[in-house]
Amino acid sequence: MSERAVLSIELRLALQLAIRRAAEMKHEYLHSRLDGVEPILEVVEIVRRFQGVLPMAVASGSTRKTVMLTLRALGLDECFDAIVTADDGVEPKPFPDIFLEAAKRLRVAP
């Protein structure tokens, strides 16, 4: 393997590691600030009103840990019948897969 090819591989690996670390740092920062998360009152009202009445899900492109910490901080972690996140191996936005998976888990038509 040429020196140039090795350097290219090393650069790609370094970039992947840097991107991963930046994402970890972003999540660490976000998690440290969740005590100040502000609810969207209209959304919380709808969730509380229809909990147990209509099937409800969260479909998020974020990690499960971030979603669950956020829902707990808002007191909504027990309100949903299904939670689908980026950790569930579905195609992210703009693809509809995460929403289709949430509907599947709720056993409702998308």
Side-chain angles (χ1 to χ4, degrees), residues 9-76:
I9 291 169
E10 289 174 350
L11 282 172
R12 280 186 282 173
L13 288 173
L15 181 59
Q16 287 175 356
L17 289 174
I19 290 169
R20 235 181 252 155
R21 181 62 190 134
E24 288 170 2
M25 290 172 63
K26 177 190 88 166
H27 287 292
E28 288 168 7
Y29 175 77
L30 175 64
H31 298 164
S32 73
R33 304 201 26 97
L34 281 174
D35 58 341
V37 69
E38 296 281 333
I40 300 170
L41 297 177
E42 295 83 359
V43 174
V44 172
E45 182 182 318
I46 290 168
V47 169
R48 297 249 184 250
R49 180 173 179 202
F50 292 105
Q51 181 184 5
V53 176
L54 293 175
M56 294 188 295
V58 171
S60 174
S62 193
T63 65
R64 179 165 301 279
K65 181 177 180 180
T66 298
V67 169
M68 294 310 297
L69 287 171
T70 304
L71 290 173
R72 274 188 213 110
L74 296 171
L76 301 175

Side-chain angles (χ1 to χ4, degrees), residues 77-94:
D77 54 315
E78 299 293 326
C79 296
F80 297 94
D81 304 300
I83 297 174
V84 185
T85 70
D87 296 330
D88 290 308
V90 294
E91 286 290 330
K93 297 175 201 172

